[in-house]
Amino acid sequence: MTGYFITFIIMVGVFMVGCFKFKLPVGVSMMIAALCGAIEGGLGTESIRMMVEGEFGYVDTILTIGSAMIFMKVIEDSGALDAMSSLIIEKFHKVPAILLILIMLIIMFPGMITGSSTAAVLSSGSIMAPILALMGIDAVTAGSIIAMGALLGMIAPPVNTAALIICAGIDVPYVGFTGPLALITFPLAILFVLMLGLKQARHLDYEKLKPALVKQDEVRKTYGAKIYLPLLVLVILMVLFKIVKIGEDIGMPLMFLISAATGLFTGKKINVLKTVPEAVRTAAPVMGILMGVGMFIEVMTATGVRGLVVISCLRLPSFLWLLACCVSIPLFGAVSSYGACSVLGVPFAYIYASLLGGNAVVVLAAISLIASVGDMMPPTALAGLFAAQVTGVKDYTRILKKCLIPIVILLVWAAFFLAKSKMIAGLF
């Protein structure tokens, strides 16, 4: 036990030093930490094999994120996102509550198809930030809406990277998640955006807002309904292969690429040689983190450290399991929400799905929602920091303070799903 604990301390310590002392990327810090753990744990020449195997542990998820970001970049460059924003504001500006809810869904959309909160903030979040400002919502509140929308977007269906990671850890297929993930995220999205923004949005003056939408209106008039075709193609493919199941599932990466290819001919001209590399560069940090997490977890498993973590969780008094899950996973998420899913999410999923006989799908959905909070935890705080950046808020902690009540509500909601997973599963 002592040897395992020393290996664990070395791995976490090296990671922390790499991230915070030398400012290395999270993925690189995880790789170095995994290598140090492998050497200290006595893996010897097996260390290289473990690193390579770990690097490819999440290759399916990496392909999904990469192809989704290409799709996201195509519909952004084609003008589809601008057109959608303009259409929604034009149709619903007289009903601020509905307008805010639809804006929240737009903010969530990139996270829903990539499983990344960063993608949501940097793409649709950056587009919606000036719209929220023109609606009379102050920068801190706008940043809070974008940050919470990004967290919920990364958990909402169809792609939930956090749940995919836990699925891989406990050998559960990623099937049947759409309903539970929708139920656990969309009610919160509606609640949070109204709670944060409705009071200020009631003062919306569409005539003052209209001049700022000239560019978006022009895109709509130029290309008409066909500009939305890539989104329609993606929805049709997902319905056919994920819900109706007309045949062998072609996989999310291919669906995204087919939809992206459609977008090359439906809106503004797109330079493929420029757009695709930009999309990959945007997704690279997230993909790098997943590679690092894969190596980190592979070495933890091979050295016995992962078993130590699981046993430590199981040895907690049963009445503390729920509290420990809601506290430890977000705190570990300050390092990496994906890493938290693999290191802590897996043992807690085992506790609630196997030992307590809960429904595995609902349990994983709840734990992934808890893990999303890690993207708001300092010092990494990817969602919060980028939300502050796109809204022009210099001190990220102002956004974090604004989000504290929504975060507490989120954790209580997730804990309810975790504790009552069998009951909730009966709804589907």
Side-chain angles (χ1 to χ4, degrees), residues 70-113:
I70 291 172
F71 170 76
M72 196 66 232
K73 192 66 179 172
V74 166
I75 65 170
E76 186 178 333
D77 289 356
S78 71
L81 272 182
D82 286 338
M84 190 188 305
S85 305
S86 170
L87 179 64
I88 287 172
I89 292 170
E90 180 186 305
K91 299 296 182 184
F92 298 101
H93 67 272
K94 293 182 179 178
V95 192
I98 295 178
L99 178 58
L100 278 173
I101 291 169
L102 293 173
I103 287 175
M104 188 65 152
L105 293 176
I106 292 176
I107 292 170
M108 292 171 64
F109 181 70
M112 291 165 61
I113 63 172

Side-chain angles (χ1 to χ4, degrees), residues 219-399:
V219 171
R220 282 172 51 205
K221 291 174 183 176
T222 303
Y223 300 103
K226 72 173 184 178
I227 199 168
Y228 305 112
L229 193 57
L231 295 166
L232 180 61
V233 169
L234 179 62
V235 171
I236 290 173
L237 289 174
M238 288 171 57
V239 169
L240 290 178
F241 291 101
K242 297 291 185 182
I243 300 176
V244 179
K245 298 181 180 178
I246 62 169
E248 191 69 27
D249 191 346
I250 62 175
M252 289 302 298
L254 185 54
M255 291 183 199
F256 284 128
L257 292 178
I258 292 172
S259 304
T262 306
L264 299 177
F265 311 101
T266 57
K268 291 188 286 187
K269 187 176 181 181
I270 295 174
N271 184 344
V272 177
L273 297 179
K274 179 184 177 184
T275 297
V276 172
E278 279 184 6
V280 174
R281 277 195 296 271
T282 303
V286 176
M287 294 191 290
I289 289 173
L290 284 175
M291 291 180 184
V293 168
M295 289 183 269
F296 196 85
I297 300 307
E298 187 77 13
V299 170
M300 284 185 70
T301 304
T303 57
V305 171
R306 190 172 183 178
L308 171 66
V309 174
V310 173
I311 291 171
S312 299
C313 291
L314 293 175
R315 283 181 173 172
L316 286 171
S318 58
F319 66 89
L320 288 178
W321 281 342
L322 198 58
L323 178 63
C325 182
C326 291
V327 173
S328 63
I329 292 178
L331 289 179
F332 194 97
V335 174
S336 165
S337 58
Y338 297 143
C341 288
S342 195
V343 175
L344 296 174
V346 169
F348 279 114
Y350 173 76
I351 287 172
Y352 280 95
S354 297
L355 292 186
L356 299 180
N359 179 270
V361 172
V362 177
V363 165
L364 266 63
I367 293 176
S368 69
L369 182 63
I370 293 170
S372 72
V373 178
D375 278 1
M376 284 294 287
M377 293 293 104
T380 50
L382 294 176
L385 287 172
F386 284 125
Q389 179 180 315
V390 300
T391 52
V393 177
K394 293 182 179 180
D395 185 3
Y396 141 76
T397 57
R398 295 177 65 195
I399 289 178

Side-chain angles (χ1 to χ4, degrees), residues 10-204:
I10 287 175
M11 291 179 70
V12 173
V14 170
F15 172 79
M16 301 288 279
V17 170
C19 265
F20 308 130
K21 174 69 175 177
F22 296 103
K23 309 295 182 184
L24 295 175
V26 173
V28 174
S29 297
M30 280 198 149
M31 178 188 71
I32 296 172
L35 183 59
C36 291
I39 294 171
E40 196 282 332
L43 295 183
T45 56
E46 287 288 294
S47 300
I48 297 176
R49 182 174 67 83
M50 291 294 169
M51 300 291 283
V52 174
E53 286 184 358
E55 182 183 8
F56 287 94
Y58 299 113
V59 66
D60 291 345
T61 306
I62 290 169
L63 287 173
T64 299
I65 291 174
S67 57
M69 190 54 72
I70 291 172
F71 170 76
M72 196 66 232
K73 192 66 179 172
V74 166
I75 65 170
E76 186 178 333
D77 289 356
S78 71
L81 272 182
D82 286 338
M84 190 188 305
S85 305
S86 170
L87 179 64
I88 287 172
I89 292 170
E90 180 186 305
K91 299 296 182 184
F92 298 101
H93 67 272
K94 293 182 179 178
V95 192
I98 295 178
L99 178 58
L100 278 173
I101 291 169
L102 293 173
I103 287 175
M104 188 65 152
L105 293 176
I106 292 176
I107 292 170
M108 292 171 64
F109 181 70
M112 291 165 61
I113 63 172
T114 63
S116 166
S117 63
T118 306
V121 175
L122 294 180
S123 51
S124 58
S126 62
I127 293 172
M128 289 296 105
I131 303 297
L132 290 170
L134 290 167
M135 289 175 66
I137 297 175
D138 66 78
V140 173
T141 303
S144 302
I145 290 172
I146 291 170
M148 294 309 300
L151 294 191
L152 294 171
M154 73 181 284
I155 303 305
V159 178
N160 181 329
T161 304
L164 281 166
I165 290 172
I166 304 174
C167 282
I170 62 173
D171 294 325
V172 170
Y174 188 73
V175 176
F177 279 82
T178 301
L181 288 177
L183 183 59
I184 206 171
T185 53
F186 291 127
L188 289 180
I190 294 170
L191 172 64
F192 292 162
V193 74
L194 295 180
M195 184 172 73
L196 291 168
L198 184 58
K199 184 177 180 180
Q200 297 178 38
R202 285 185 176 138
H203 304 297
L204 170 65

